[in-house]
Amino acid sequence: MTNMVQQMMYPNRRSFLGGVAAIAGLAATAHGFAHVERGGGRPFSRQTVLDEARGLAGRPYEPPAPVDSRLTGLDYDSYRQIRYRKDKAIWGGSPTRFSVELFAPGFLFESGVDLFIVENGLSLPVDVGPDSFDVPDPALGALLADGGKFAGFRLHYPVNRSDYSDEFVVFQGASYFRAVSAGQSYGLSARGLAVDVAEPTGEEFPVFRRFWIERPSARSGNIVVHALLDSEGVTGAYRFGIYPGAPTVIDVEATLFARRELTHIGFGGLTSMFMFGPVDGPDQPDYRPAVHDSQGLCMLTGRGEWLWRPLANPAALQVSAFVDENPKGFGLVQRARGFNRYQDLEAYYHRRPSCWIAPVGDWGPGHVQLVEIPSASEINDNIVAYWRPAVPLKPGQETRFAYRQTWPDSIVPDSPRLGHVIRSAYGLSLEGGFPQMTIDYDFHGWQPSDTMDAEVSVSAGRLVNTVLQPNPVTGGVRMFLTFDPQDADVVEIRALPMRGGAPLGETWLYRWLRA
């Protein structure tokens, strides 16, 4: 059985949150593309990135050089006025359906990345020209050209309709990237690697310092991006096979080379935002019933058990671990898709994507780690989830892992026999004023006459009662779970609907904290 263990609370979050804030054919110039040096190029293959990562690991870490202070000194509004020119888009005027647009360094993006395109087996550097960006001051254009670096890039493809190329993937900041599928708006982010998240000694933030983008053929519906990862403790060679659509899919392959022993690393890392919802309400009155990019953590364990854990915005930093071996998948999910669940005419939280990580091959023992950080603003990402392997990375060894990353609207169990949680809420019981959790399940083919019971446990205090009743509005079942925490400040709750001794739905998990 998968267990939820471990609660850590750190009153001093400065070092951790500081990193979160930082996350913040032919390409001919006749087609108006970005300036690409044509000095013949250098041979390129996947092995090129592996060799660079391996060689880099054998040398002391050197952080990326910062860009000019006049760029990093820009405020948000000034930085937003620097826009990459559409007529400079890489492959923008070619038969290739993909195009690439670039981001300027500055503001929170204090260093740049090297960018290469790959054509006919050769890598060609992309340079910054004085007219690459529309700028409010010509002096900024000269600064960008002199620096010769980009902060990242975005990919475009006709995702929603055939006559318009949508932005659908962004790589920008440390090892962060994010994607959308058809009909979605940007929300949560992914990251190449997590190191020492929420440790008292502070988090290490690996960066992608170099990218190679392979030019797709005119008919291709996918694009390949390679990246070189670097940090104080580890280097890595990454390959991203990217397939835009409904949903967008990214196949990730990585090989890591440790500079030192790493006992706390995270594969398939995801970062999101949760402010409040029906379980964890707002601290201040708000006209919106919920504000979050992700509603819950979903997991399919190696034994085939589906878990659902509603997210929280706690009063103190908390870390949860879901122990497993060879997990089949996990992700941060935005299940509530209706506008009425959020009532936000600007953020459109009902259109935010979910993200599912499906390991390729066996990942061995470890746990999915969930970090929930106190936050007073919806502009901050305060949720982190990733797979933390039990075996540490050691110098001199190569560690390989791969996974498929999918960006759908939602994630539900793939078995027609299992129901899934569509809503969780918190309140007090009418009798006794005890804490009461309300859980709505959506079941496939369930009838009110069907027999059902529930397997419920609390880690402290006592369970007062559990009530199941049909929900005629959803066609599913509502579970009322009432408990008395007694003297406990923390209660771990587990609930599972059953029929005939067999699971009927997802296992619902939650950590109740005394206010």
Side-chain angles (χ1 to χ4, degrees):
M1 180 180 296
T2 300
N3 299 312
M4 181 164 62
V5 299
Q6 178 179 357
Q7 179 185 20
M8 302 178 183
M9 296 187 180
Y10 303 103
N12 186 354
R13 314 189 321 274
R14 182 175 180 180
S15 61
F16 182 59
L17 291 178
V20 175
I23 313 171
L26 291 176
T29 56
H31 291 291
F33 301 150
H35 182 60
V36 178
E37 286 292 340
R38 286 292 164 194
R42 294 184 177 182
F44 176 85
S45 68
R46 165 76 168 151
Q47 190 63 41
T48 303
V49 193
L50 288 166
D51 291 342
E52 288 210 20
R54 186 182 293 108
L56 202 59
R59 302 192 297 271
Y61 173 71
E62 294 184 10
V67 297
D68 193 289
S69 60
R70 286 169 289 182
L71 292 173
T72 56
L74 294 173
D75 60 22
Y76 175 69
D77 291 332
S78 299
Y79 178 73
R80 285 189 65 193
Q81 293 180 54
I82 303 175
R83 299 178 180 275
Y84 190 72
R85 291 181 55 179
K86 292 286 186 180
D87 62 335
K88 299 295 182 181
I90 299 173
W91 306 315
S94 76
T96 301
R97 291 189 289 172
F98 289 87
S99 61
V100 185
E101 297 185 10
L102 310 174
F103 292 107
F107 184 45
L108 295 176
F109 304 100
E110 299 178 348
S111 61
V113 300
D114 297 318
L115 184 65
F116 299 81
I117 63 171
V118 178
E119 298 178 351
N120 301 320
L122 299 177
S123 68
L124 304 161
V126 180
D127 289 344
V128 185
D131 58 349
S132 295
F133 295 92
D134 286 326
V135 292
D137 181 351
L140 287 177
L143 280 176
L144 293 169
D146 289 343
K149 296 282 188 177
F150 300 99
F153 63 92
R154 56 191 181 193
L155 301 178
H156 290 248
Y157 183 84
V159 175
N160 292 293
R161 63 178 203 250
S162 60
D163 61 342
Y164 182 80
S165 289
D166 304 277
E167 175 189 328
F168 75 99
V169 168
V170 169
F171 285 84
Q172 186 182 27
S175 69
Y176 288 84
F177 60 100
R178 55 182 182 164
V180 289
S181 302
Q184 295 176 348
S185 302
Y186 280 121
L188 79 167
S189 300
R191 56 201 300 187
L193 191 68
V195 179
D196 291 342
V197 176
E199 292 288 356
T201 53
E203 181 173 358
E204 180 175 310
F205 286 90
V207 300
F208 288 138
R209 60 192 311 159
R210 185 167 297 169
F211 291 95
W212 296 261
I213 307 174
E214 296 186 19
R215 178 177 182 170
S217 68
R219 296 183 178 181
S220 179
N222 67 284
I223 189 170
V224 174
V225 174
H226 302 265
L228 175 66
L229 179 133
D230 193 16
S231 75
E232 293 92 336
V234 63
T235 69
Y238 282 70
R239 180 189 186 276
F240 301 92
I242 304 172
Y243 304 79
T248 292
V249 174
I250 303 179
D251 288 332
V252 183
E253 302 173 32
T255 303
L256 303 179
F257 305 88
R259 284 191 170 100
R260 60 177 173 82
E261 182 169 299
L262 297 173
T263 59
H264 186 168
I265 57 171
F267 300 163
L270 301 173
T271 300
S272 191
M273 180 275 294
F274 182 93
M275 278 295 292
F276 62 84
V279 180
D280 187 357
D283 294 331
Q284 302 293 332
D286 199 297
Y287 70 93
R288 301 165 296 180
V291 171
H292 49 71
D293 284 339
S294 300
Q295 184 178 0
L297 170 72
C298 187
M299 180 177 176
L300 177 57
T301 71
R303 295 185 177 183
E305 181 183 15
W306 283 91
L307 307 180
W308 177 256
R309 162 64 151 78
L311 297 177
N313 183 1
L317 177 67
Q318 63 174 342
V319 178
S320 305
F322 304 85
V323 179
D324 198 18
E325 185 167 355
N326 298 325
K328 296 179 180 178
F330 67 93
L332 294 176
V333 181
Q334 187 81 317
R335 277 189 180 164
R337 308 304 298 180
F339 172 78
N340 287 338
R341 294 290 293 269
Y342 306 96
Q343 290 290 334
D344 197 311
L345 291 171
E346 296 180 359
Y348 287 101
Y349 288 115
H350 62 290
R351 293 174 53 182
R352 303 294 170 104
S354 302
C355 190
W356 182 251
I357 306 295
V360 176
D362 292 340
W363 279 11
H367 61 264
V368 169
Q369 185 147 313
L370 174 65
V371 181
E372 295 165 304
I373 310 163
S375 177
S377 173
E378 61 197 270
I379 67 171
N380 296 326
D381 283 339
N382 64 321
I383 303 294
V384 186
Y386 52 89
W387 173 256
R388 180 175 175 179
V391 179
L393 264 65
K394 296 185 177 181
Q397 298 179 350
E398 296 185 11
T399 300
R400 299 180 180 180
F401 64 96
Y403 56 91
R404 168 159 283 193
Q405 184 185 79
T406 311
W407 299 77
D409 285 348
S410 184
I411 301 291
V412 297
D414 54 7
S415 169
R417 296 174 298 174
L418 285 178
H420 63 275
V421 177
I422 57 176
R423 181 177 178 269
S424 306
Y426 173 72
L428 298 177
S429 63
L430 294 177
E431 296 184 6
F434 295 114
Q436 185 178 74
M437 312 303 301
T438 303
I439 312 163
D440 280 316
Y441 275 92
D442 181 24
F443 291 104
H444 305 279
W446 182 83
Q447 300 295 328
S449 57
D450 292 344
T451 344
M452 184 186 303
D453 56 13
E455 183 182 278
V456 180
S457 63
V458 292
S459 64
R462 67 182 181 92
L463 182 66
V464 176
N465 62 42
T466 303
V467 176
L468 295 168
Q469 69 178 49
N471 186 332
V473 177
T474 66
V477 169
R478 175 166 290 180
M479 179 188 299
F480 293 97
L481 194 161
T482 308
F483 64 98
D484 178 4
Q486 298 177 338
D487 295 331
D489 292 326
V490 180
V491 180
E492 303 283 1
I493 311 170
R494 181 182 183 275
L496 176 63
M498 306 282 288
R499 180 167 56 195
L504 194 59
E506 291 175 312
T507 300
W508 184 91
L509 303 170
Y510 194 69
R511 173 180 291 163
W512 177 87
L513 301 173
R514 188 180 298 277

